[in-house]
């Protein structure tokens, strides 16, 4: 029996561990492959995909340029419709605001929809510590909650698990076998979660877009759980990153046209919820109170810098699906809420003090597939390169810096280069004959899995 | 057409025969290549690792070797051609060499892109798979050469649009071409990526090699030597019977 070991501190260590998990890798290859195929069909079906992507890119850039003004307009409009807006500078402020609302509203039972921001601020842990009972109601998130793991994909949280692993988790929850058929698994989850909606005093969801002109929030989903969480419990708390604003419904239309197509290959998700305030007099559905918590969490520091385009992201997950590194190692190896290329760019921006986050810019061969697929045209691999350039000046890379300096001195002189060419031609045949090179340096790293050239 | 020819550092270091073959292919097509004297490297290794000043120092050496010239500069590497044509202007921005870098960028072309469009204004028309011929894996016609698997290197495919030109150049020379499943996926070389995350790099190569084997063809080619050396090194370790040759080697083979 294998003893569980501590999570390796480096990306390369975690990646190597992930590479040993054949079952996970097969599930990721299958899942990402399917999403890519569907995305390709859905985008190809558009006559004007390129123009739409250009428009979406412009809309995101313009929204960030006008961010303070649009957020204020949105907040004023939502407040006028009875919603309550809370501004949180960081994770601690956000969780404190939410805990206070939960506490005041006596909502110890919480039904929660999918929200990456809630993962970012570790909301469940804080609420559970305060004595609340949180049920994830998105099927993938529910599976991950049962497994005690964070999501491994921003759109499909449990993509890395096959249906047999899911059946085991659901059976353990039920205390009786759940058949490893997708229908049986969904049926069990449906029954189980239905009760969570009915019992909940507070519903918590994410936000895909906030519409400034009307004060609305837009929430897209496929399972109806988001609609349940936002309409059934007496209190609805929605979490959003401060960059998720669009000016009006015209802009929202462009974003929605691309989001589901890029993510799951749907023209639109099954549910598109537009929420503009809590229940009004005479309405039969909806919460008594609507709170929207807007998180900065390091985002505003990236505004106006060369990394600003990373905030254009609409969380479709297409760059994860197409990334050949993500395909091999899955999401958990990144050890960040956001994985794949966008995670490798966002994480060091949101956690500038974390040295482990900086390492993620190396988790790319700079192949450019992410940049090519991004619906809002974020130049992801260029941003990864810029992160490398920024970090190359730091103290952590002193040895490498010296190495590249020496290299540049040598290779900017033709005679040294020629001497090295001759040395390589003479030395390689000798090195090739050595069966086991010591696992040291770049030569050793190459030779671990490959013969020398 | 009279051209300058830049072999790339990797070719010069590890496969000088590729340079010979490339120049032979150029001559056979009626061009007059002159090998660049005094060049070393385009600076890409340092550039992709984030070391701009070091990249600039090395690239300056090659930029000077290019000199004040009007001839096209033909490069036997998709990724070096990308570095020079797409990244040099930005790398030298604000330096005294900026104008020279822009001019060099404008006349730099990858080998097959040059060979299939030389003398015309036609731009290569995009990605993988366009020119693959159909038929059995072994030969397309009796006595003809065996089919060749074209590995699309990322720079060539995404930044140069050279996926089609490698195939077209091979087809012009009578080589039937094939694309393997997942042809647009990176092989895992990625410069320093291959030694910083060697296990991931090798896993990516393995998937690529499996897709090559599945085609039933044995000959693999690409316009990038770096990808080929990585794939070949892994194939040899696995004992696979695949052959890897730079596209210049196939095009410039003595008949």
């Amino acid at each position: 029996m294998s003893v569980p070991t501590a999570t390796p501190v480096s990306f390369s260590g975690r990646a190597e561990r992930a590479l040993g998990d054949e079952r996970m890798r097969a599930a990721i290859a299958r899942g990402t492959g399917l999403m890519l195929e569907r995305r390709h069909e859905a985008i190809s079906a558009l006559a004007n995909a390129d123009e739409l992507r250009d428009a979406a890119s412009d809309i995101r850039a313009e929204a960030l340029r006008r961010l303070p003004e649009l957020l204020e307009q949105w907040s004023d409009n939502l407040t006028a419709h009875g919603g309550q807006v809370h501004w949180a500078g960081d994770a601690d402020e956000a969780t404190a605001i939410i805990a206070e609302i939960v506490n005041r509203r006596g909502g110890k039972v919480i039904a929660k929809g999918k929200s990456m921001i809630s993962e970012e601020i570790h909301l469940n842990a804080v609420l559970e510590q305060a004595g609340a009972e949180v049920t994830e109601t998105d099927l993938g998130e529910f599976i991950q909650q049962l497994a005690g793991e964070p999501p491994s994909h921003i759109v499909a949280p449990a993509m890395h698990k096959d249906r047999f692993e899911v059946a085991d988790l659901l059976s353990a929850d039920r205390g009786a076998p759940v058949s490893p058929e997708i229908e049986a698994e969904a049926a069990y989850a449906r029954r189980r979660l239905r009760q969570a909606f009915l019992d909940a005093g507070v519903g918590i969801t994410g936000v895909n877009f906030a519409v400034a002109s009307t004060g609305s929030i837009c929430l897209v989903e496929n399972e109806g759980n988001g609609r349940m969480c936002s309409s059934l419990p007496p209190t609805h708390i929605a979490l959003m990153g401060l960059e998720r604003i669009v000016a009006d419904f015209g802009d929202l239309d462009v974003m929605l046209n691309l989001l589901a197509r890029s993510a799951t290959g749907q023209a639109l998700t099954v549910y598109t919820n537009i929420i503009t305030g809590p229940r009004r007099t005479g309405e039969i559905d909806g919460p008594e109170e609507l709170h929207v918590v807007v998180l900065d969490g390091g985002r505003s520091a990236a505004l106006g810098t060369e990394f600003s385009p990373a905030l254009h992201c609409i969380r479709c997950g297409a760059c994860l699906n197409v990334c050949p590194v993500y395909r091999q190692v899955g999401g958990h190896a990144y050890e960040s809420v956001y994985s794949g290329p966008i995670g490798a760019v966002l994480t060091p921006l949101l956690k500038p003090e974390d040295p482990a986050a900086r390492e993620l810019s190396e988790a790319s061969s700079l192949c450019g597939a992410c940049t090519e697929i991004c619906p809002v045209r974020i130049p992801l691999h260029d941003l990864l390169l810029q992160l490398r350039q920024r970090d190359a000046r730091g103290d952590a890379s002193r040895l490498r810096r010296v190495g590249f300096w020496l290299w540049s001195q040598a290779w900017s002189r033709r005679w040294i280069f020629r001497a090295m060419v001759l040395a390589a031609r003479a030395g390689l045949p000798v090195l090739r004959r050595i069966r086991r090179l010591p696992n040291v340096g770049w030569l050793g790293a190459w030779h671990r899995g490959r013969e020398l050239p | 057409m009279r051209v300058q020819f830049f072999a790339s550092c990797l070719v010069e270091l590890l496969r000088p025969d590729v340079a010979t073959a490339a120049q032979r292919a150029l001559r056979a097509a009626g061009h007059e290549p002159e090998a660049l004297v005094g060049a070393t490297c385009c600076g890409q290794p340092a550039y992709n690792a984030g070391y701009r000043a070091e990249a600039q120092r090395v690239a300056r050496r090659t930029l000077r070797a290019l000199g004040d010239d009007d001839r096209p500069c033909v490069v036997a590497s998709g990724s070096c051609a990308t570095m020079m044509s797409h990244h040099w202007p930005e790398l030298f921005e604000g330096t005294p060499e900026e104008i020279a870098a822009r001019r060099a960028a404008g006349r730099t072309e990858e080998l097959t892109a040059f060979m299939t469009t030389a003398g015309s204004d036609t731009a290569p028309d995009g990605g993988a798979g366009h020119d693959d011929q159909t038929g059995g894996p072994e030969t397309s016609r009796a006595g003809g050469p065996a089919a060749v698997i074209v590995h699309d290197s990322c720079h060539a495919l995404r930044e140069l649009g050279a996926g089609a030109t490698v195939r077209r150049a091979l087809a012009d020379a009578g080589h039937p071409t094939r694309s393997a499943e997942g042809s647009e996926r990176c092989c895992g070389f990625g410069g320093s990526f291959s030694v910083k995350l060697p296990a991931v790099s090798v896993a990516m190569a393995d998937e690529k090699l499996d897709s090559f084997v599945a085609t039933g063809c044995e000959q693999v080619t690409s316009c990038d030597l770096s990808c080929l050396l990585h794939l070949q090194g892994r194939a040899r370790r696995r004992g696979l019977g695949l052959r890897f040759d730079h596209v210049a080697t196939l095009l410039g083979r003595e008949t």
Side-chain angles (χ1 to χ4, degrees):
Chain A
M1 206 182 130
S2 66
V3 181
T5 46
T7 304
V9 290
S10 69
F11 177 80
S12 60
R14 293 190 300 270
E16 282 191 39
R17 191 170 67 167
L19 288 170
D21 189 346
E22 294 290 344
R23 195 170 176 183
M24 179 277 287
R25 291 172 65 199
I28 290 286
R30 207 165 42 236
T32 54
L34 195 63
M35 286 177 97
L36 278 182
E37 215 173 282
R38 290 180 179 162
R39 178 247 168 220
H40 181 74
E41 279 171 29
I43 293 286
S44 306
L46 289 171
N48 57 346
D50 282 338
E51 289 84 347
L52 259 183
R53 291 171 67 186
D54 290 340
S57 173
D58 292 346
I59 287 169
R60 293 299 295 136
E62 179 66 7
L64 290 187
R65 212 180 48 75
R66 296 173 55 198
L67 191 62
E69 167 205 341
L70 290 178
L71 280 173
E72 194 181 347
Q73 187 192 358
W74 166 78
S75 168
D76 288 349
N77 284 330
L78 181 56
T79 308
H81 286 112
Q84 298 177 51
V85 178
H86 309 263
W87 307 95
D90 58 19
D92 289 343
E93 281 183 37
T95 51
I97 291 165
I98 295 163
E100 190 278 320
I101 299 167
V102 168
N103 203 32
R104 182 169 52 77
R105 298 286 295 165
K108 286 290 169 193
V109 180
I110 299 170
K112 192 162 157 291
K114 195 170 165 337
S115 154
M116 292 309 290
I117 297 271
S118 74
E119 301 288 337
E120 198 179 317
I121 63 176
H122 303 289
L123 180 62
N124 288 10
V126 174
L127 291 176
E128 280 162 5
Q129 208 157 27
E133 180 195 316
V134 185
T135 305
E136 293 286 349
T137 62
D138 172 88
L139 181 53
E141 291 286 0
F142 179 56
I143 293 165
Q144 288 310 97
Q145 187 178 33
L146 294 179
E149 290 175 358
S152 75
H153 186 287
I154 59 176
V155 172
M159 180 193 272
H160 61 298
K161 294 193 186 298
D162 61 36
R163 62 194 171 95
F164 299 98
E165 290 171 279
V166 172
D168 289 346
L169 288 165
L170 296 177
S171 299
D173 179 66
R174 186 189 190 185
V178 173
S179 152
E181 307 302 322
I182 307 277
E183 293 77 9
E185 293 174 345
Y188 169 69
R190 184 183 301 233
R191 279 198 308 279
R192 167 79 157 73
L193 296 174
R194 180 59 47 106
Q195 199 55 48
F197 295 126
L198 293 170
D199 294 344
V202 174
I204 298 180
T205 69
V207 172
N208 291 93
F209 298 102
V211 185
S213 64
T214 59
S216 308
I217 55 173
C218 173
L219 175 62
V220 302
E221 41 133 359
N222 280 318
E223 298 170 22
N225 67 309
R227 185 160 296 180
M228 295 286 229
C229 289
S230 59
S231 60
L232 210 48
T235 304
H236 173 205
I237 305 173
L239 281 76
M240 68 176 238
L242 57 71
E243 81 281 17
R244 291 318 191 79
I245 196 101
V246 292
D248 52 33
F249 272 77
D251 287 356
L252 181 67
D253 175 47
V254 174
M255 306 319 296
L256 291 183
N257 219 331
L258 284 170
L259 177 55
R261 285 179 201 274
S262 306
T264 52
Q266 296 167 287
L268 278 176
T269 47
V270 179
Y271 295 85
T272 301
N273 306 287
I274 310 277
I275 299 167
T276 315
R279 185 200 306 183
R280 285 165 222 183
T281 319
E283 288 180 343
I284 51 168
D285 287 316
E288 295 156 13
E289 287 188 13
L290 167 67
H291 299 265
V292 184
V293 179
V294 184
L295 175 71
D296 182 334
R299 287 162 174 77
S300 59
L303 274 176
T305 71
E306 68 266 46
F307 300 109
S308 201
L311 300 178
H312 295 182
C313 176
I314 57 173
R315 307 287 189 269
C316 71
C319 65
L320 280 66
N321 297 334
V322 84
C323 177
V325 175
Y326 181 91
R327 180 182 168 88
Q328 296 299 335
V329 303
H332 288 155
Y334 293 78
E335 215 178 44
S336 163
V337 175
Y338 305 105
S339 56
I342 187 62
V345 173
L346 266 184
T347 308
L349 298 180
L350 302 183
K351 296 158 88 178
E353 271 84 51
D354 185 357
R358 281 202 289 274
E359 191 202 4
L360 294 181
S361 70
E362 303 293 345
S364 165
S365 61
L366 299 182
C367 77
C370 45
T371 300
E372 191 177 54
I373 206 167
C374 177
V376 294
R377 302 205 190 281
I378 303 171
L380 284 157
H381 77 299
D382 291 336
L383 295 181
L384 286 168
L385 185 56
Q386 288 184 41
L387 282 168
R388 289 184 189 181
Q389 286 175 9
R390 190 184 73 174
D391 297 338
R393 294 191 291 267
D395 284 344
S397 7
R398 194 172 296 158
L399 189 68
R400 276 178 59 210
R401 197 164 57 202
V402 171
F404 272 110
W405 183 83
L406 282 172
W407 170 83
S408 72
Q409 292 298 338
W411 282 33
S412 56
R413 289 166 173 81
R414 177 69 194 175
W415 65 273
I416 304 186
F417 177 75
R418 269 312 289 177
M420 287 173 79
V421 166
L422 297 176
R425 288 184 194 166
L428 265 174
V430 179
L431 284 174
R432 274 195 212 108
R433 258 180 264 135
I434 304 173
R435 272 209 144 165
R436 287 183 71 89
L437 288 169
N439 188 11
V440 180
W442 285 10
L443 197 66
W446 178 279
H447 193 252
R448 253 178 66 197
R450 288 156 292 206
E451 297 302 319
L452 294 181
Chain B
M1 191 183 292
R2 293 173 62 237
V3 301
Q4 287 181 313
F5 174 74
F6 177 42
S8 84
C9 62
L10 213 55
V11 165
E12 203 172 342
L13 273 165
L14 300 170
R15 293 287 187 276
D17 52 299
V18 170
T20 319
Q23 292 179 83
R24 195 183 299 129
L26 284 167
R27 274 193 293 272
H31 304 295
E32 294 172 50
E34 185 197 333
L36 214 50
V37 179
T40 57
C41 164
C42 64
Q44 187 177 197
Y47 183 79
N48 280 356
Y51 294 87
R52 284 177 63 92
E54 287 74 11
Q56 223 185 64
R57 186 173 296 127
V58 172
R60 190 175 294 123
R61 171 74 258 159
T62 299
L63 179 60
R64 283 188 186 150
L66 278 161
D68 188 18
D69 208 302
D70 289 329
R71 292 172 292 174
C73 173
V74 178
V75 186
S77 156
S79 75
C80 307
T82 306
M83 178 70 199
M84 295 162 72
S85 61
H86 287 54
H87 300 296
W88 270 12
E90 179 259 329
L91 179 65
F92 285 100
E93 205 176 309
T95 70
E97 289 96 349
E98 184 175 345
I99 292 167
R102 285 189 185 284
R103 290 194 57 212
R107 59 191 184 87
T108 296
E109 275 191 271
E110 185 273 327
L111 176 69
T112 62
F114 172 77
M115 288 186 66
T116 52
T117 58
S120 73
D121 291 329
T122 342
D125 65 354
H130 287 232
D131 289 334
D132 286 333
Q133 294 138 35
T134 51
E138 285 313 315
T139 54
S140 67
R141 56 176 192 269
V148 178
I149 305 164
V150 177
H151 163 62
D152 288 295
S153 59
C154 299
H155 285 127
L157 183 69
R158 300 208 167 82
E159 305 199 57
L160 296 180
T165 60
V166 172
R167 289 171 175 79
R168 198 173 311 144
L170 285 166
D172 290 349
H175 294 274
T177 57
R178 296 282 175 278
S179 294
E181 186 275 325
S183 190
E184 301 190 5
R185 199 177 297 135
C186 174
C187 70
F189 174 67
S192 58
F193 174 81
S194 65
V195 285
K196 281 183 146 176
L197 292 169
V200 184
S201 169
V202 163
M204 287 159 74
D206 276 343
E207 197 172 10
K208 195 54 79 174
L209 292 172
D210 292 342
S211 74
F212 291 165
V213 170
T215 64
C217 304
E218 287 175 353
Q219 176 73 57
V220 183
T221 195
S222 163
C223 64
D224 271 290
L225 182 64
S226 50
C227 305
L228 289 175
L229 294 177
H230 158 72
L231 290 166
Q232 182 185 50
R234 182 57 185 167
R236 284 193 180 149
R237 179 62 58 86
R238 286 177 57 183
L240 300 177
L242 294 164
R243 287 194 312 278
F244 297 84
D245 285 296
H246 192 279
V247 66
T249 306
L250 300 182
L251 295 176
R253 199 161 264 168
E254 282 171 297
T255 43

